[in-house]
Amino acid sequence: MLRIGVLRFVALPRSSSFFFSTTSPKSLNPCTIRKKFASHSRTMAYTTSSGSSSKLLFRQLFEKESSTYTYLLADVSHPDKPALLIDPVDKTVDRDISLVKELGLKLIYAMNTHVHADHVTGTGLMKTKLPGVKSVISKASKSKADLLIESGDKIYFGDLFLEVRATPGHTLGCVTYVTGDGPDQPQPRMAFTGDALLIRGCGRTDFQGGSSQQLYKSIFTLPKDTYIYPAHDYKGFTVSTVGEEMLYNPRLTKDEEEFQSIMENLKLAYPKMIDIAVPANMVCGLQDLSERPAESMAN
């Protein structure tokens, strides 16, 4: 079942978890933040568990050719055990489906954080193998899917939900999916950041409508103990936290001017899969879509 809600964020008291701000980026300099929280974050410990909630089943899966992480989440306390996949890859669809079946889950959504340039999404192929699964991507991406989501939407699977937050900059349509806030939701919260925020890095900004200025301002309104789960990693990392990246991310600990200079001088190679992946991913991985227009979650 899908339910939509507009998220409103309010300032927390001084004793509460710290937030980056997307509304006044100049007032919160990451360089200052780094000094302020150094003593706290050095002792921060985390695991890949789902926190205090026993409702959430969570699996982090890996596709080695593109170094892509796919994430499986399910509400195992619900009778139907509804589940969703974030950023599935076409080459590992059979593995993902096999795991879903082994765990007795009912996959309802196959979701993308953005239009990927380094692999073909598995959402279209997955729909042909599991009828009833709906593909999901942001409306801002201008690509095709069954459900087009926007910032502020909530995606429910059982009694758990993900909040949609716009985090453009790597591409125009990038979103981050964040586990819900509340006593019945997994704690600490988990953010699936796609290519916007990587562990000790961030996504490139030189194609697909990317903007280093936009990316700098879009990260983050999240408590510092929030787990960061990116779409890729090339150095063997699996998880970080907002607080850890505030301290140690070599790009995002810079001021905006220096960050833009770094991003403009990366001199990265042209992505080898982009000419295949982007056209395919604009149509949900070459999915044979029906004539029925995509649903907007705001309707």
Side-chain angles (χ1 to χ4, degrees):
M1 178 179 180
L2 286 172
R3 285 171 275 178
I4 310 307
V6 177
L7 307 180
R8 292 181 173 85
F9 301 99
V10 297
L12 295 180
R14 290 181 182 272
S15 60
S16 300
S17 296
F18 181 79
F19 280 67
F20 277 98
S21 171
T22 56
T23 56
S24 55
K26 292 183 180 179
S27 65
L28 296 174
N29 188 322
C31 300
T32 304
I33 293 165
R34 180 173 183 171
K35 295 176 182 177
K36 185 173 181 181
F37 291 103
S39 60
H40 297 286
S41 293
R42 284 189 185 120
T43 59
M44 185 185 299
Y46 58 83
T47 67
T48 54
S49 71
S50 60
S52 60
S53 174
S54 60
K55 294 182 177 181
L56 178 67
L57 180 146
F58 171 65
R59 295 289 185 271
Q60 183 180 45
L61 308 169
F62 189 67
E63 193 280 309
K64 63 182 180 180
E65 187 170 326
S66 61
S67 297
T68 299
Y69 285 123
T70 296
Y71 298 99
L72 173 65
L73 291 80
D75 181 353
V76 292
S77 70
H78 191 278
D80 294 335
K81 295 186 178 180
L84 56 83
L85 280 165
I86 299 173
D87 288 333
V89 179
D90 63 342
K91 294 181 178 180
T92 49
V93 162
D94 288 339
R95 175 204 65 187
D96 298 346
I97 291 176
S98 177
L99 180 60
V100 166
K101 291 181 177 179
E102 287 173 356
L103 297 175
L105 308 177
K106 179 182 180 181
L107 189 67
I108 55 176
Y109 301 122
M111 306 160 56
N112 282 299
T113 52
H114 64 292
V115 174
H116 297 274
D118 54 6
H119 67 269
V120 175
T121 179
T123 53
L125 182 58
M126 193 160 288
K127 283 171 56 65
T128 67
K129 293 175 178 265
L130 290 177
V133 173
K134 291 189 175 182
S135 55
V136 180
I137 201 167
S138 74
K139 187 175 182 180
S141 70
K142 302 186 185 304
S143 56
K144 294 182 178 181
D146 296 314
L147 297 171
L148 300 177
I149 46 94
E150 298 179 89
S151 187
D153 287 345
K154 292 184 179 180
I155 303 172
Y156 276 82
F157 54 111
D159 296 320
L160 302 178
F161 66 91
L162 298 178
E163 298 173 356
V164 179
R165 301 195 185 197
T167 47
H170 172 60
T171 74
L172 280 173
C174 286
V175 296
T176 291
Y177 299 113
V178 187
T179 53
D181 195 13
D184 58 342
Q185 302 296 312
Q187 297 296 331
R189 301 178 77 180
M190 307 161 75
F192 302 93
T193 57
D195 290 11
L197 177 60
L198 306 177
I199 298 173
R200 308 301 192 266
C202 63
R204 62 193 295 173
T205 58
D206 58 339
F207 61 81
Q208 289 181 272
S211 164
S212 58
Q213 182 179 28
Q214 202 172 32
L215 180 60
Y216 188 86
K217 292 179 178 179
S218 73
I219 303 173
F220 254 97
T221 43
L222 292 171
K224 68 180 186 298
D225 64 347
T226 302
Y227 294 148
I228 297 296
Y229 290 101
H232 301 283
D233 190 84
Y234 310 98
K235 298 179 180 180
F237 292 114
T238 57
V239 62
S240 183
T241 65
V242 169
E244 199 174 300
E245 294 309 306
M246 287 160 53
L247 284 171
Y248 304 122
N249 191 302
R251 297 178 185 176
L252 297 172
T253 50
K254 312 301 183 185
D255 62 31
E256 185 174 346
E257 183 177 354
E258 188 173 358
F259 174 77
Q260 289 186 47
S261 177
I262 291 171
M263 299 307 293
E264 289 167 5
N265 291 283
L266 290 177
K267 296 181 173 58
L268 298 173
Y270 187 75
K272 64 180 181 179
M273 279 288 293
I274 190 170
D275 294 330
I276 297 172
V278 170
N281 292 336
M282 290 297 290
V283 289
C284 204
L286 294 181
Q287 178 187 13
D288 183 16
L289 295 167
S290 67
E291 295 301 316
R292 178 180 60 82
E295 300 175 32
S296 170
M297 290 185 64
N299 292 336

